[in-house]
Amino acid sequence: MLAGLGMMGIASALYGIVVLIIGRIEPGGNQAAIDAELLASTSSLPQALLLLGVVGLFAPIVEELVFRQIPFGSLQQHLPTPLAFVLSTLPFSLMHVTSVQEWPLAVFYVGSAVAFSIAYLVSNRNILVPVAVHVLWNGTGTAFQLLTHAFR
């Protein structure tokens, strides 16, 4: 699990480097919706907790089942592991990047998908490991963003 979190840090660092090189990124539809939801949630504690539950707990569980457990496991039965790895990583990444303006986010999401997939493989396909990494990553990031927006 620590290796997965470390790889998530590397994915974030690579994304940060891309942003430094190209400058500010205009948020596309996906990121703009997340930002609007964060801003709205800071006005009420119940809303903030609901957002934290959805983004920090529910979404990682669903995404790991839908993008790791089901396709990766199925593809591995019929294809070599590296090909199954790539084919299950791309849809996760593409789902999170909804416009051409957000292309630098693809660096982060591909890195995230790789980290989650490696955590899945290293743990002998125990889906709880990438779920835990994903929950910790999303949960702490969302909590930090909520607190940052609340004290502006």
Side-chain angles (χ1 to χ4, degrees):
M1 189 162 84
L2 290 175
L5 288 172
M7 288 184 286
M8 289 299 297
I10 292 169
S12 291
L14 291 173
Y15 169 69
I17 290 168
V18 169
V19 171
L20 284 173
I21 292 169
I22 66 167
R24 186 179 187 287
I25 298 169
E26 291 300 319
N30 189 34
Q31 194 58 47
I34 291 169
D35 290 345
E37 203 56 47
L38 279 166
L39 187 59
S41 294
T42 57
S43 63
S44 137
L45 183 59
Q47 278 184 314
L49 292 175
L50 179 62
L51 182 70
L52 186 58
V54 169
V55 175
L57 183 63
F58 182 72
I61 291 170
V62 170
E63 287 179 356
E64 289 309 311
L65 290 173
V66 170
F67 292 105
R68 221 78 50 219
Q69 180 81 25
I70 296 169
F72 195 26
S74 297
L75 289 170
Q76 269 192 301
Q77 293 175 2
H78 307 289
L79 300 170
T81 298
L83 184 56
F85 186 95
V86 169
L87 291 175
S88 65
T89 297
L90 290 177
F92 174 87
S93 306
L94 293 174
M95 178 196 73
H96 286 86
V97 179
T98 60
S99 71
V100 175
Q101 297 114 321
E102 292 183 323
W103 75 264
L105 283 170
V107 172
F108 173 72
Y109 288 116
V110 167
S112 299
V114 166
F116 299 143
S117 294
I118 288 173
Y120 179 66
L121 283 175
V122 170
S123 68
N124 294 317
R125 293 167 185 75
N126 180 350
I127 195 63
L128 295 177
V129 174
V131 164
V133 172
H134 203 151
V135 164
L136 283 169
W137 190 262
N138 278 25
T140 55
T142 303
F144 181 75
Q145 286 182 312
L146 284 168
L147 289 170
T148 302
H149 281 289
F151 292 109
R152 281 188 179 175

